[in-house]
Amino acid sequence: MAIDALQGSTRHSVSGPNYYHADPAFQAMMSEALGPEGMAWARPLLEDMGRMAAQDIVPLAEDANQNPPVLVQYDANGNRIDEVKVHPAYREMTRLAYGAGLGGMFYEPAMRAKHGYVPHALVFGLGYLFAQAEQGLYCPICMTEGSARLVDLFGDDDLKARFLPGITARDLESLLEGAMFLTEKQGGSDVGANETVARQVDGQWRLYGDKWFCSNAGEAGVMMVLARPEGAQPGTRGLGLFLMPKNLEDGSRNHYRIHRLKDKLGTRSMASGEFTLDGAIAYPVGDLSRGFKYMTEMLNLSRTYNSVAALAIMRRAYTEARDYASQRAAFGKTIDHYPMVRQMLTSMVVELEAATAFVWEAIRYLDRVDQGTASEEEQVMRRLLTPMIKYHTGKQAIRFASEACEMLGGNGYIETFVTPRLLRDAQVLPIWEGTTNILVLDVVRCLGREGAGPILLAELRRRLSASKAEASAHWRMVLAREADRLEQALGDLSSQDEVRLQLHAKTWSDRAIRLYEAVLLLGQADRELATGNARKLAILARHVELFLVPREFGMEGWCEDATPHELFEGLVHHTPVSLEAMMSSVRQP
């Protein structure tokens, strides 16, 4: 269907024509992550996705979210069919997204043949641009890549030959979208309480049981399902991993029922439903005694996707707030001339750039692991940072979306603007793939079982030692002092009983995250200072004051002149900032 036939939405957005071109900080980070050789072939992909997301996906997403999927349980003759009907705008988004390589690019044979290793840094960069326009479909994209990952890592040759070509396909006719069926009513986060049973019947595995929260319902061609083979031990150790296809080899639908679709707060364009498996035919993936361990690969990938989705909402919310403030006149001038508006916008951009650097740091470790070059310490860092980035950015996304609503005033509460949808979509991010409490417990386990704390501190100090720029020396000293305090707090934490350990673990983790962000900003600032631009150093200084060394109550502080014009333009609109202007406007704690 032609895109023109799907447009015509009355919703209002002030976003630019290309999300990639409009984001210099992201461009610089991608160049750093991929290097000159990688950017030579990746830049056109990023530019194309930036244009497509801003110009094509935005109106389609608005229509798809106003017209959510519908479950058709019976045909005209009363036969049970359980088909999910999606709006044409959602179907067009699906065609564009998978056609651009989202979902399967990392495992796509043609991409591997042409470029060798396809960096996760690029795949998530494309997703970051796409998800600024649409969050609902980004969930199936995530689960499609996760399904490909499980089949690629743990499936036998027959399973790979049969399903990987469809999971990595770019055309809708061949595509097998993915899904992940874990949650059950009695279990929730306690996956070990799952009751779905796997039985061998006439030489085939069949699944029986209920799955409570199944996203990409009706659209997924393959569903990765945890089920307990008959006679297996209780808990997560007794769960096997199975691939359950939507359709059987003869083209008929597999043996399951969809009872209803969830009436969700957000991500309404994408269907989530409740399933009963009535002897559904499925194929074992790897060793059935290791099913939950296998599934954690998909879960951790999904957590990274979740973090990137959160960054996308943060970026879109910030962009909407910034652009609206530059156009909305009140009392004789646009509101971005007023001190409190400037303060809010500069604080948002500081948090956004710090969080983006932190998430791509975790992605860097994922790339090292998948390239087979990661040391044991780097593998531990990947396992530690994955839950950290997920819970940190999920909470931030909600706050950013709320701030954008407030910046727009009454308009920000009205459905003809994108901000209400951003707020609804953001709320799922701290919930899916593990709530904050579950993720902090994962951090605690990593600190205790794998000795992740000293490894993290060693990495922070290594990066601080690598920083040599004279202009950043003061902040380097501040961060070194904060690393010492973090180490002392880690010792105090490890001496606590289990209850106190859990109660204080999030506070320690939050401090570690803010310090890690600052150290990453320091490295970026040093590189940018070499070009004569002190913008990133100003970002670092503001981050340190906001989150590491907050000033005491009083009138003095960072940007005493209510964010001077040069710094505001530099931070918010990316004009160069001189070192003199930056140093004269910040407080050195």
Side-chain angles (χ1 to χ4, degrees):
M1 179 177 290
I3 294 175
D4 292 345
L6 299 169
Q7 296 181 354
S9 170
T10 59
R11 290 180 176 239
H12 177 80
S13 174
V14 291
S15 299
N18 189 309
Y19 288 156
Y20 181 72
H21 291 161
D23 197 343
F26 178 68
Q27 294 175 41
M29 194 195 66
M30 290 303 296
S31 294
E32 181 184 335
L34 298 176
E37 184 177 343
M39 283 300 293
W41 63 271
R43 183 178 288 107
L45 300 179
L46 292 163
E47 291 176 338
D48 288 347
M49 181 60 74
R51 180 208 56 75
M52 184 179 80
Q55 297 182 28
D56 299 335
I57 303 298
V58 163
L60 295 170
E62 291 166 351
D63 288 340
N65 278 273
Q66 291 181 75
N67 299 276
V70 175
L71 174 62
V72 180
Q73 291 184 300
Y74 299 93
D75 66 14
N77 296 316
N79 300 308
R80 188 76 182 256
I81 56 173
D82 289 351
E83 292 184 359
V84 176
K85 302 292 186 183
V86 299
H87 190 265
Y90 186 85
R91 179 68 62 234
E92 178 65 6
M93 283 197 301
T94 304
R95 185 186 70 81
L96 291 172
Y98 287 99
L102 294 181
M105 178 183 290
F106 182 82
Y107 303 94
E108 189 178 8
M111 288 293 288
R112 287 180 168 179
K114 186 174 182 180
H115 300 292
Y117 182 84
V118 180
H120 287 292
L122 169 61
V123 174
F124 283 116
L126 295 170
Y128 165 78
L129 297 170
F130 177 87
Q132 290 179 48
E134 163 63 3
Q135 290 275 315
L137 180 57
Y138 196 51
C139 176
I141 289 168
C142 160
M143 291 188 292
T144 301
E145 182 178 344
S147 300
R149 185 173 186 83
L150 293 182
V151 174
D152 184 64
L153 289 176
F154 308 118
D156 59 29
D157 290 341
D158 289 341
L159 203 69
K160 291 177 184 178
R162 181 173 174 186
F163 291 105
L164 265 182
I167 299 173
T168 61
R170 296 196 180 208
D171 61 290
L172 293 187
E173 292 73 23
S174 305
L175 176 65
L176 295 173
E177 291 187 69
M180 174 173 60
F181 289 7
L182 272 70
T183 310
E184 298 183 8
K185 283 184 285 189
Q186 74 286 346
S189 296
D190 182 7
V191 178
N194 282 8
E195 296 177 353
T196 298
V197 173
R199 297 191 186 112
Q200 279 196 300
V201 180
D202 297 329
Q204 291 184 311
W205 283 99
R206 290 180 176 267
L207 308 183
Y208 302 85
D210 296 326
K211 294 294 182 180
W212 179 245
F213 212 111
C214 305
S215 289
N216 208 18
E219 292 291 286
V222 294
M223 291 148 271
M224 311 306 295
V225 184
L226 285 179
R228 195 178 310 281
E230 283 190 312
Q233 62 181 305
T236 56
R237 293 184 179 181
L239 294 174
L241 176 62
F242 294 86
L243 185 154
M244 185 182 83
K246 176 181 179 179
N247 295 320
L248 303 178
E249 292 187 34
D250 62 4
S252 63
R253 205 199 65 197
N254 209 340
H255 307 291
Y256 62 79
R257 288 173 287 152
I258 307 176
H259 298 295
R260 62 176 174 175
L261 299 185
K262 301 289 191 180
D263 187 7
K264 296 177 294 182
L265 174 66
T267 60
R268 296 180 65 85
S269 64
M270 182 268 300
S272 300
E274 299 166 16
F275 278 59
T276 290
L277 311 183
D278 292 319
I281 292 175
Y283 304 93
V285 180
D287 182 347
L288 286 180
S289 68
R290 297 171 61 82
F292 182 74
K293 182 177 178 60
Y294 294 158
M295 184 61 91
T296 60
E297 279 291 333
M298 186 171 184
L299 186 62
N300 284 327
L301 184 72
S302 297
R303 287 174 172 178
T304 307
Y305 263 92
N306 193 292
S307 303
V308 173
L311 292 176
I313 282 187
M314 291 164 66
R315 173 65 192 183
R316 181 74 184 275
Y318 163 72
T319 302
E320 296 291 329
R322 180 201 64 195
D323 292 356
Y324 190 87
S326 71
Q327 298 174 17
R328 175 64 173 175
F331 311 108
K333 54 186 175 182
T334 56
I335 63 174
D336 63 353
H337 284 80
Y338 292 104
M340 285 187 286
V341 172
R342 289 191 163 194
Q343 183 183 57
M344 187 183 111
L345 291 174
T346 53
S347 295
M348 288 177 81
V349 77
V350 166
E351 277 205 82
L352 173 62
E353 293 189 21
T356 305
F358 187 50
V359 171
W360 254 263
E361 174 75 350
I363 293 169
R364 181 179 73 86
Y365 284 114
L366 175 59
D367 269 323
R368 296 277 291 172
V369 169
D370 278 3
Q371 286 174 308
T373 58
S375 65
E376 290 185 11
E377 291 79 9
E378 288 174 322
Q379 294 178 49
V380 171
M381 284 295 290
R382 181 216 167 191
R383 290 192 288 272
L384 176 66
L385 295 189
T386 299
M388 281 183 161
I389 61 173
K390 195 274 183 184
Y391 87 69
H392 179 57
T393 57
K395 294 285 192 183
Q396 286 179 302
I398 297 172
R399 182 159 43 80
F400 267 59
S402 180
E403 293 277 24
C405 290
E406 186 174 351
M407 180 67 78
L408 272 64
N411 286 339
Y413 197 68
I414 304 302
E415 294 290 346
T416 48
F417 288 76
V418 73
T419 40
R421 174 159 62 89
L422 294 179
L423 185 58
R424 288 195 303 273
D425 287 351
Q427 184 59 68
V428 78
L429 297 169
I431 298 173
W432 281 2
E433 320 305 357
T435 61
T436 299
N437 290 343
I438 295 297
L439 294 162
V440 171
L441 290 176
D442 284 351
V443 172
V444 169
R445 281 189 285 270
C446 200
L447 292 174
R449 295 178 185 176
E450 303 195 53
I455 295 173
L456 171 70
L457 287 160
E459 177 62 18
L460 292 174
R461 290 188 170 116
R462 183 190 69 79
R463 288 175 176 270
L464 288 171
S465 297
S467 172
K468 304 296 182 183
E470 182 179 352
S472 62
H474 172 77
W475 286 274
R476 187 161 58 246
M477 177 190 68
V478 170
L479 298 183
R481 184 183 66 209
E482 290 302 307
D484 291 340
R485 293 178 62 189
L486 188 69
E487 183 175 30
Q488 180 180 353
L490 178 64
D492 294 340
L493 189 68
S494 62
S495 67
Q496 303 299 313
D497 60 35
E498 187 65 24
V499 172
R500 290 182 178 274
L501 174 63
Q502 291 186 20
L503 288 175
H504 294 288
K506 186 175 185 302
T507 300
W508 186 90
S509 299
D510 288 342
R511 194 73 175 184
I513 289 168
R514 293 301 190 182
L515 178 57
Y516 208 131
E517 287 179 330
V519 170
L520 294 172
L521 291 174
L522 174 67
Q524 293 179 353
D526 283 357
R527 288 185 287 275
E528 195 175 72
L529 282 166
T531 69
N533 189 357
R535 177 186 178 275
K536 192 66 77 168
L537 186 60
I539 292 277
L540 169 63
R542 180 59 170 156
H543 181 278
V544 167
E545 185 175 58
L546 281 171
F547 304 115
L548 292 175
V549 193
R551 67 174 183 268
E552 296 179 0
F553 181 76
M555 300 303 293
E556 65 284 339
W558 190 85
C559 293
E560 295 175 16
D561 191 22
T563 313
H565 181 73
E566 183 175 356
L567 277 186
F568 177 77
E569 288 296 311
L571 269 60
V572 172
H573 297 294
H574 289 270
T575 59
V577 174
S578 69
L579 183 60
E580 293 74 18
M582 181 266 164
M583 295 296 284
S584 66
S585 301
V586 303
R587 178 177 72 96
Q588 295 192 13

